[in-house]
Amino acid sequence: MGPEKTQSMRKRMAYVQAILMVSVFLLIAKSFDLQVFRADELAKKAENDYSRYVTIKGERGQILDRNMNELATSTYAVSITACPKNITDPETTAAQLSRILGLSRKKLLKKLNSGRMFAWVARKISPAQKKRIEKLHLKGIYFQKDSRRFYPNRSLAAQVLGFTGSDGNGLEGLEFKYNPLLSGKSAKIRIKKNGKGEILELDKETELRLKGRSIVLTIDKKIQFLSEQALERAVRIHRAKSGIAIVMRPSTGEILSMAHYPEFNPNNFSGYSMQVFRNRSVTDAFEPGSTIKVFTAAAALEKGFSPKSIFFCKNGNYKIGSFTIHDTHPHGWLSINQIIKYSSNIGAALITENIGEANLYHYLKAFGFGTRTGVGCPGETSGNLIPLKKWSKIDAGAIAFGQGISVSAVQLASAVSAIANNGVLMKPMLIKKI
């Protein structure tokens, strides 16, 4: 190799060395800038890319029977989330999702075009919808763990429990009445996401902290089931439109069963008429008829009459003012025991004449008629017991045998329980503990 070529080679090597040194210097400077001067800025950017502040609501509390059997609970569900920044074809993605989920394509497209790292697409989708979406393998669309309300016993005590809407809030029954207690707490927290934009699960401590409170009822699941079976048979046999049955423990006032027919399934409440949703044992008032005679007789016993005290029942026809009261069968002299046994309207009216209408009114009020029981169900009626000063002569006679007065089923069950409890009236209880 000649001197000229050697010199040329040395120059080129010098240039390369200079370029390498400058490059190394620039890399060191850039590294220094990133690690020292821009460290906080870049860390914050990374944090924002892989985490986000969202409002999270805790799991809804359970509703349990007296033996801690689940009547209403929350089960695993799936929601759809998106990482708009990762979606390459928002138009097609929005069109496909809108067809499966039944959502507005225009609104979906607006979310998917936002360029953000996170967006909710749909909450609590069905397993069938999840399968269809999975098959599409849509980029930037992810599945997120969620929960939905579930009633494991289907129609059991449905009118008592009620149900929740798609947003998880109670719409009927105890779910509505105690919604503030059952609802999970809401909190705005920073949640982490993985590289795909999927939300990482919350830690157990946070889940427990946000979970709603649970309610234990006095209802016994087995007694409730047997009551509903017996009630359905009775309604069908007698070709009635509906029926109510209440089982109450007289000594405590605990309601062991509150059955209704027709029934409905709260897991799929949208398939039923709204008329079937209400808890008619507390919301509906009706004329009690001859069941009131028990309390008319009780008032007489309190005023000094004995079960064997006798009244002449006018052989089936008794005129009060311009009104005539009839018995289904004519009777002469009947004791109080027999007035109850034969359900004599005239006998009940005569008892009221002897004890005085003020006393009848006083004892009916004492048994709880005309006043809400406070059982803890929404929409409770007080029934209707006309104020004493508004009673006419026929009102006193008619109320004595159950006409001109209206009561709820829970009032009636409570009053009868007082007689079974040696005259001690207990407040009906449906909530055992929270």
Side-chain angles (χ1 to χ4, degrees):
M1 184 181 294
E4 291 182 2
K5 286 187 177 181
T6 302
Q7 190 177 1
S8 176
M9 181 72 73
R10 285 174 180 170
K11 283 181 180 180
R12 284 199 295 268
M13 288 178 67
Y15 288 142
V16 171
Q17 286 176 344
I19 291 169
L20 286 173
M21 287 180 68
V22 170
S23 297
V24 170
F25 176 78
L26 290 173
L27 285 172
I28 292 171
K30 185 65 176 177
S31 177
F32 187 80
D33 175 57
L34 292 175
Q35 294 183 46
V36 177
F37 296 112
R38 297 184 61 195
D40 291 342
E41 177 193 342
L42 294 171
K44 190 173 182 180
K45 185 177 185 301
E47 178 78 5
N48 289 335
D49 283 346
Y50 289 97
S51 67
R52 175 183 173 83
Y53 278 107
V54 295
T55 300
I56 296 291
K57 193 170 185 180
E59 188 179 289
R60 193 171 178 84
Q62 296 178 308
I63 300 179
L64 309 163
D65 87 335
R66 65 187 300 112
N67 298 310
M68 307 304 284
N69 294 306
E70 292 179 350
L71 299 177
T73 188
S74 294
T75 60
Y76 171 77
V78 173
S79 291
I80 301 292
T81 65
C83 179
K85 205 170 182 179
N86 292 344
I87 296 173
T88 53
D89 189 353
E91 286 274 358
T92 303
T93 303
Q96 290 175 317
L97 288 175
S98 66
R99 280 197 298 270
I100 296 172
L101 300 173
L103 301 174
S104 165
R105 187 190 65 80
K106 190 176 179 181
K107 288 182 179 179
L108 269 178
L109 184 58
K110 187 178 179 182
K111 284 185 180 181
L112 303 184
N113 270 329
S114 65
R116 295 183 299 166
M117 286 296 294
F118 175 82
W120 286 107
V121 175
R123 305 294 297 270
K124 302 176 179 64
I125 65 171
S126 70
Q129 288 173 321
K130 180 177 182 286
K131 283 184 180 179
R132 290 177 65 188
I133 294 170
E134 278 178 327
K135 289 178 181 177
L136 297 174
H137 300 290
L138 298 172
K139 189 175 181 182
I141 298 299
Y142 311 107
F143 298 101
Q144 168 65 29
K145 180 183 175 183
D146 208 337
S147 65
R148 67 180 179 87
R149 205 58 167 166
F150 178 63
Y151 303 89
N153 306 293
R154 294 168 62 83
S155 61
L156 190 83
Q159 282 85 353
V160 178
L161 299 174
F163 50 81
T164 64
S166 58
D167 60 355
N169 287 319
L171 299 179
E172 290 283 348
L174 297 179
E175 293 275 31
F176 170 75
K177 173 79 174 179
Y178 295 97
N179 190 64
L181 281 172
L182 291 164
S183 288
K185 296 175 185 175
S186 294
K188 193 172 184 180
I189 61 175
R190 184 180 285 276
I191 56 174
K192 299 289 184 181
K193 293 174 292 189
N194 61 22
K196 295 179 180 179
E198 296 169 305
I199 294 176
L200 301 176
E201 289 190 14
L202 294 176
D203 61 90
K204 293 295 180 184
E205 187 180 336
T206 303
E207 284 185 353
L208 288 172
R209 179 170 56 85
L210 298 179
K211 187 174 181 179
R213 300 175 75 182
S214 292
I215 294 175
V216 181
L217 306 184
T218 58
I219 282 177
D220 185 301
K221 178 182 169 181
K222 291 180 181 178
I223 296 174
Q224 180 75 27
F225 175 73
L226 294 171
S227 298
E228 290 182 2
Q229 279 194 323
L231 179 62
E232 181 179 355
R233 283 197 301 270
V235 169
R236 290 184 182 277
I237 288 170
H238 297 285
R239 298 180 181 178
K241 289 183 178 180
S242 61
I244 303 167
I246 295 175
V247 179
M248 184 181 289
R249 181 169 284 165
S251 60
T252 62
E254 292 172 290
I255 295 173
L256 304 179
S257 166
M258 191 175 270
H260 295 77
Y261 189 85
E263 57 194 18
F264 75 96
N265 184 353
N267 292 305
N268 184 30
F269 64 87
S270 60
Y272 297 84
S273 163
M274 290 182 65
Q275 295 300 316
V276 79
F277 295 157
R278 71 181 187 277
N279 183 349
R280 291 181 296 107
S281 60
V282 298
T283 63
D284 290 17
F286 56 90
E287 280 196 345
S290 292
T291 55
I292 281 291
K293 291 170 186 169
V294 174
F295 310 107
T296 303
L301 298 182
E302 284 294 306
K303 297 311 294 180
F305 288 86
S306 80
K308 294 183 179 179
S309 297
I310 58 173
F311 299 84
F312 183 62
C313 293
K314 315 295 181 180
N315 294 314
N317 292 284
Y318 182 48
K319 197 165 187 177
I320 300 178
S322 59
F323 297 91
T324 301
I325 299 173
H326 301 281
D327 279 338
T328 53
H329 298 92
H331 297 288
W333 291 95
L334 293 177
S335 67
I336 290 179
N337 278 343
Q338 291 172 320
I339 287 170
I340 299 300
K341 178 180 177 180
Y342 297 119
S343 192
S344 170
N345 292 342
I346 294 171
L350 291 170
I351 289 174
T352 300
E353 283 187 8
N354 278 270
I355 65 171
E357 57 189 41
N359 282 314
L360 177 63
Y361 178 81
H362 167 75
Y363 284 109
L364 290 178
K365 287 292 286 185
F367 274 110
F369 297 117
T371 306
R372 292 185 182 89
T373 65
V375 69
C377 294
E380 183 181 6
T381 180
S382 60
N384 184 36
L385 178 59
I386 303 168
L388 178 61
K389 62 183 179 181
K390 294 184 178 180
W391 281 21
S392 65
K393 196 168 184 181
I394 188 59
D395 284 332
I399 289 171
F401 55 81
Q403 294 179 13
I405 178 176
S406 65
V407 303
S408 68
V410 73
Q411 278 180 331
L412 194 56
S414 176
V416 171
S417 292
I419 291 176
N421 193 36
N422 298 315
V424 179
L425 181 72
M426 303 300 293
K427 179 180 177 179
M429 182 167 61
L430 188 61
I431 308 300
K432 191 175 180 70
K433 61 181 176 179
I434 297 173

Short mmCIF file of all heavy atoms in Angstrom, two decimals, residues 184-219:
data_model
loop_
_atom_site.label_atom_id
_atom_site.label_comp_id
_atom_site.label_asym_id
_atom_site.label_seq_id
_atom_site.Cartn_x
_atom_site.Cartn_y
_atom_site.Cartn_z
N GLY A 184 -73.44 -0.47 46.65
CA GLY A 184 -72.03 -0.33 46.96
C GLY A 184 -71.63 1.14 46.95
O GLY A 184 -72.26 1.96 46.28
N LYS A 185 -70.60 1.47 47.68
CA LYS A 185 -70.12 2.85 47.71
C LYS A 185 -69.39 3.18 46.41
O LYS A 185 -68.79 2.31 45.79
CB LYS A 185 -69.17 3.04 48.89
CG LYS A 185 -69.81 2.87 50.25
CD LYS A 185 -68.77 2.95 51.34
CE LYS A 185 -69.39 2.65 52.71
NZ LYS A 185 -68.35 2.61 53.76
N SER A 186 -69.49 4.42 46.01
CA SER A 186 -68.77 4.88 44.82
C SER A 186 -67.51 5.61 45.23
O SER A 186 -67.49 6.33 46.22
CB SER A 186 -69.66 5.80 43.98
OG SER A 186 -70.77 5.10 43.47
N ALA A 187 -66.45 5.39 44.46
CA ALA A 187 -65.19 6.07 44.74
C ALA A 187 -64.45 6.32 43.44
O ALA A 187 -64.45 5.48 42.54
CB ALA A 187 -64.34 5.24 45.69
N LYS A 188 -63.82 7.50 43.35
CA LYS A 188 -63.01 7.81 42.18
C LYS A 188 -61.59 7.39 42.50
O LYS A 188 -60.93 7.95 43.36
CB LYS A 188 -63.07 9.31 41.87
CG LYS A 188 -62.53 9.66 40.50
CD LYS A 188 -62.78 11.12 40.15
CE LYS A 188 -62.32 11.43 38.73
NZ LYS A 188 -62.56 12.83 38.37
N ILE A 189 -61.14 6.35 41.80
CA ILE A 189 -59.81 5.81 42.10
C ILE A 189 -59.01 5.65 40.81
O ILE A 189 -59.56 5.57 39.73
CB ILE A 189 -59.91 4.45 42.83
CG1 ILE A 189 -60.65 3.43 41.94
CG2 ILE A 189 -60.57 4.59 44.18
CD1 ILE A 189 -60.68 2.05 42.54
N ARG A 190 -57.70 5.58 40.98
CA ARG A 190 -56.83 5.37 39.84
C ARG A 190 -56.68 3.87 39.63
O ARG A 190 -56.26 3.15 40.53
CB ARG A 190 -55.45 6.00 40.07
CG ARG A 190 -54.53 5.89 38.85
CD ARG A 190 -53.18 6.52 39.12
NE ARG A 190 -53.23 7.96 39.10
CZ ARG A 190 -53.17 8.70 38.00
NH1 ARG A 190 -53.07 8.11 36.82
NH2 ARG A 190 -53.21 10.01 38.06
N ILE A 191 -57.06 3.41 38.46
CA ILE A 191 -56.96 1.99 38.16
C ILE A 191 -55.86 1.76 37.14
O ILE A 191 -55.60 2.60 36.29
CB ILE A 191 -58.30 1.42 37.63
CG1 ILE A 191 -58.77 2.20 36.41
CG2 ILE A 191 -59.36 1.42 38.70
CD1 ILE A 191 -59.98 1.62 35.75
N LYS A 192 -55.22 0.63 37.24
CA LYS A 192 -54.10 0.29 36.36
C LYS A 192 -54.58 -0.49 35.15
O LYS A 192 -55.55 -1.24 35.22
CB LYS A 192 -53.07 -0.55 37.13
CG LYS A 192 -52.48 0.16 38.35
CD LYS A 192 -51.55 1.27 37.95
CE LYS A 192 -50.89 1.91 39.17
NZ LYS A 192 -50.01 3.01 38.79
N LYS A 193 -53.89 -0.30 34.05
CA LYS A 193 -54.18 -1.05 32.82
C LYS A 193 -52.91 -1.72 32.33
O LYS A 193 -51.81 -1.22 32.55
CB LYS A 193 -54.72 -0.11 31.74
CG LYS A 193 -56.08 0.48 32.07
CD LYS A 193 -56.50 1.50 31.04
CE LYS A 193 -55.61 2.72 31.13
NZ LYS A 193 -56.09 3.83 30.30
N ASN A 194 -53.09 -2.85 31.65
CA ASN A 194 -51.93 -3.49 31.06
C ASN A 194 -51.64 -2.90 29.68
O ASN A 194 -52.29 -1.95 29.25
CB ASN A 194 -52.13 -5.01 30.98
CG ASN A 194 -53.32 -5.39 30.11
OD1 ASN A 194 -53.76 -4.62 29.25
ND2 ASN A 194 -53.86 -6.57 30.34
N GLY A 195 -50.66 -3.47 28.98
CA GLY A 195 -50.25 -2.93 27.68
C GLY A 195 -51.34 -2.96 26.65
O GLY A 195 -51.31 -2.22 25.66
N LYS A 196 -52.35 -3.82 26.82
CA LYS A 196 -53.45 -3.90 25.86
C LYS A 196 -54.56 -2.90 26.17
O LYS A 196 -55.55 -2.82 25.45
CB LYS A 196 -54.04 -5.32 25.88
CG LYS A 196 -53.10 -6.40 25.41
CD LYS A 196 -53.79 -7.76 25.49
CE LYS A 196 -52.88 -8.88 25.03
NZ LYS A 196 -53.56 -10.19 25.14
N GLY A 197 -54.44 -2.21 27.30
CA GLY A 197 -55.49 -1.27 27.68
C GLY A 197 -56.56 -1.89 28.55
O GLY A 197 -57.53 -1.25 28.91
N GLU A 198 -56.38 -3.17 28.94
CA GLU A 198 -57.38 -3.83 29.78
C GLU A 198 -57.18 -3.41 31.23
O GLU A 198 -56.05 -3.29 31.71
CB GLU A 198 -57.23 -5.35 29.66
CG GLU A 198 -57.52 -5.89 28.27
CD GLU A 198 -57.11 -7.35 28.15
OE1 GLU A 198 -55.93 -7.66 28.44
OE2 GLU A 198 -57.96 -8.16 27.78
N ILE A 199 -58.30 -3.22 31.93
CA ILE A 199 -58.22 -2.82 33.34
C ILE A 199 -57.79 -4.00 34.18
O ILE A 199 -58.32 -5.10 34.05
CB ILE A 199 -59.59 -2.31 33.83
CG1 ILE A 199 -59.95 -1.03 33.10
CG2 ILE A 199 -59.57 -2.06 35.33
CD1 ILE A 199 -61.32 -0.51 33.46
N LEU A 200 -56.81 -3.78 35.04
CA LEU A 200 -56.39 -4.81 35.97
C LEU A 200 -57.37 -4.85 37.13
O LEU A 200 -57.93 -3.83 37.52
CB LEU A 200 -54.97 -4.52 36.48
CG LEU A 200 -53.89 -4.45 35.38
CD1 LEU A 200 -52.55 -4.06 36.00
CD2 LEU A 200 -53.76 -5.77 34.63
N GLU A 201 -57.61 -6.02 37.69
CA GLU A 201 -58.62 -6.17 38.75
C GLU A 201 -58.25 -5.35 39.99
O GLU A 201 -57.07 -5.19 40.33
CB GLU A 201 -58.76 -7.64 39.13
CG GLU A 201 -59.45 -8.47 38.05
CD GLU A 201 -59.80 -9.86 38.54
OE1 GLU A 201 -59.75 -10.09 39.77
OE2 GLU A 201 -60.12 -10.71 37.70
N LEU A 202 -59.30 -4.89 40.68
CA LEU A 202 -59.09 -4.15 41.92
C LEU A 202 -58.57 -5.09 43.00
O LEU A 202 -58.87 -6.28 42.99
CB LEU A 202 -60.42 -3.54 42.40
CG LEU A 202 -61.05 -2.46 41.54
CD1 LEU A 202 -62.40 -2.07 42.13
CD2 LEU A 202 -60.16 -1.24 41.45
N ASP A 203 -57.84 -4.56 43.95
CA ASP A 203 -57.39 -5.39 45.05
C ASP A 203 -58.57 -5.71 45.96
O ASP A 203 -59.57 -4.97 46.01
CB ASP A 203 -56.27 -4.69 45.83
CG ASP A 203 -56.74 -3.37 46.42
OD1 ASP A 203 -57.24 -3.37 47.55
OD2 ASP A 203 -56.63 -2.34 45.71
N LYS A 204 -58.48 -6.82 46.69
CA LYS A 204 -59.58 -7.31 47.53
C LYS A 204 -59.97 -6.30 48.61
O LYS A 204 -61.14 -6.16 48.95
CB LYS A 204 -59.19 -8.64 48.18
CG LYS A 204 -59.04 -9.79 47.19
CD LYS A 204 -60.36 -10.13 46.53
CE LYS A 204 -60.22 -11.28 45.55
NZ LYS A 204 -61.48 -11.55 44.83
N GLU A 205 -58.99 -5.61 49.15
CA GLU A 205 -59.26 -4.64 50.21
C GLU A 205 -60.17 -3.52 49.71
O GLU A 205 -61.12 -3.13 50.38
CB GLU A 205 -57.95 -4.06 50.73
CG GLU A 205 -58.12 -3.15 51.94
CD GLU A 205 -56.80 -2.59 52.44
OE1 GLU A 205 -55.74 -3.21 52.16
OE2 GLU A 205 -56.83 -1.54 53.09
N THR A 206 -59.90 -3.04 48.49
CA THR A 206 -60.74 -1.99 47.90
C THR A 206 -62.13 -2.52 47.61
O THR A 206 -63.14 -1.84 47.85
CB THR A 206 -60.09 -1.46 46.61
OG1 THR A 206 -58.78 -0.98 46.90
CG2 THR A 206 -60.93 -0.33 46.01
N GLU A 207 -62.24 -3.74 47.09
CA GLU A 207 -63.54 -4.35 46.79
C GLU A 207 -64.40 -4.44 48.05
O GLU A 207 -65.58 -4.12 48.03
CB GLU A 207 -63.34 -5.74 46.19
CG GLU A 207 -62.89 -5.72 44.73
CD GLU A 207 -62.83 -7.11 44.13
OE1 GLU A 207 -63.00 -8.09 44.88
OE2 GLU A 207 -62.60 -7.22 42.92
N LEU A 208 -63.79 -4.90 49.15
CA LEU A 208 -64.54 -5.04 50.41
C LEU A 208 -64.95 -3.68 50.97
O LEU A 208 -66.04 -3.53 51.51
CB LEU A 208 -63.69 -5.80 51.44
CG LEU A 208 -63.50 -7.30 51.17
CD1 LEU A 208 -62.50 -7.89 52.15
CD2 LEU A 208 -64.83 -8.04 51.28
N ARG A 209 -64.07 -2.71 50.82
CA ARG A 209 -64.35 -1.36 51.36
C ARG A 209 -65.54 -0.72 50.64
O ARG A 209 -66.31 0.02 51.24
CB ARG A 209 -63.10 -0.48 51.21
CG ARG A 209 -63.25 0.94 51.70
CD ARG A 209 -61.91 1.64 51.76
NE ARG A 209 -61.21 1.63 50.48
CZ ARG A 209 -61.41 2.52 49.52
NH1 ARG A 209 -62.29 3.50 49.68
NH2 ARG A 209 -60.73 2.45 48.39
N LEU A 210 -65.70 -1.02 49.36
CA LEU A 210 -66.77 -0.40 48.58
C LEU A 210 -68.06 -1.21 48.56
O LEU A 210 -69.08 -0.72 48.09
CB LEU A 210 -66.29 -0.19 47.14
CG LEU A 210 -65.09 0.75 46.94
CD1 LEU A 210 -64.72 0.83 45.47
CD2 LEU A 210 -65.40 2.14 47.49
N LYS A 211 -68.03 -2.45 49.05
CA LYS A 211 -69.21 -3.33 48.97
C LYS A 211 -70.36 -2.79 49.82
O LYS A 211 -70.15 -2.26 50.92
CB LYS A 211 -68.84 -4.74 49.43
CG LYS A 211 -69.96 -5.74 49.22
CD LYS A 211 -69.52 -7.17 49.55
CE LYS A 211 -70.66 -8.14 49.31
NZ LYS A 211 -70.28 -9.54 49.59
N GLY A 212 -71.60 -2.96 49.33
CA GLY A 212 -72.79 -2.53 50.06
C GLY A 212 -73.08 -3.44 51.24
O GLY A 212 -72.52 -4.53 51.36
N ARG A 213 -73.97 -2.99 52.11
CA ARG A 213 -74.33 -3.77 53.30
C ARG A 213 -75.38 -4.82 52.93
O ARG A 213 -76.18 -4.61 52.02
CB ARG A 213 -74.84 -2.84 54.39
CG ARG A 213 -73.81 -1.82 54.80
CD ARG A 213 -74.35 -0.82 55.79
NE ARG A 213 -74.47 -1.40 57.12
CZ ARG A 213 -74.95 -0.74 58.17
NH1 ARG A 213 -75.36 0.50 58.04
NH2 ARG A 213 -75.03 -1.33 59.34
N SER A 214 -75.40 -5.92 53.65
CA SER A 214 -76.35 -7.00 53.40
C SER A 214 -77.49 -6.95 54.42
O SER A 214 -77.32 -6.44 55.53
CB SER A 214 -75.66 -8.36 53.46
OG SER A 214 -74.77 -8.50 52.37
N ILE A 215 -78.64 -7.49 54.03
CA ILE A 215 -79.83 -7.48 54.89
C ILE A 215 -80.28 -8.91 55.13
O ILE A 215 -80.39 -9.71 54.20
CB ILE A 215 -80.97 -6.68 54.23
CG1 ILE A 215 -80.58 -5.20 54.13
CG2 ILE A 215 -82.27 -6.83 55.01
CD1 ILE A 215 -81.59 -4.36 53.40
N VAL A 216 -80.53 -9.25 56.39
CA VAL A 216 -81.06 -10.57 56.76
C VAL A 216 -82.53 -10.40 57.11
O VAL A 216 -82.89 -9.58 57.96
CB VAL A 216 -80.29 -11.15 57.97
CG1 VAL A 216 -80.85 -12.53 58.32
CG2 VAL A 216 -78.80 -11.24 57.66
N LEU A 217 -83.39 -11.17 56.45
CA LEU A 217 -84.83 -11.09 56.68
C LEU A 217 -85.29 -12.10 57.72
O LEU A 217 -84.57 -13.05 58.04
CB LEU A 217 -85.58 -11.34 55.36
CG LEU A 217 -85.20 -10.48 54.15
CD1 LEU A 217 -86.11 -10.80 52.97
CD2 LEU A 217 -85.28 -9.00 54.49
N THR A 218 -86.49 -11.89 58.22
CA THR A 218 -87.09 -12.86 59.14
C THR A 218 -87.72 -14.02 58.36
O THR A 218 -88.08 -15.04 58.95
CB THR A 218 -88.21 -12.19 59.97
OG1 THR A 218 -89.19 -11.64 59.08
CG2 THR A 218 -87.64 -11.08 60.84
N ILE A 219 -87.82 -13.89 57.06
CA ILE A 219 -88.45 -14.91 56.22
C ILE A 219 -87.63 -16.21 56.26
O ILE A 219 -86.41 -16.19 56.24
CB ILE A 219 -88.59 -14.40 54.77
CG1 ILE A 219 -89.79 -13.46 54.67
CG2 ILE A 219 -88.73 -15.54 53.76
CD1 ILE A 219 -89.99 -12.84 53.31
#
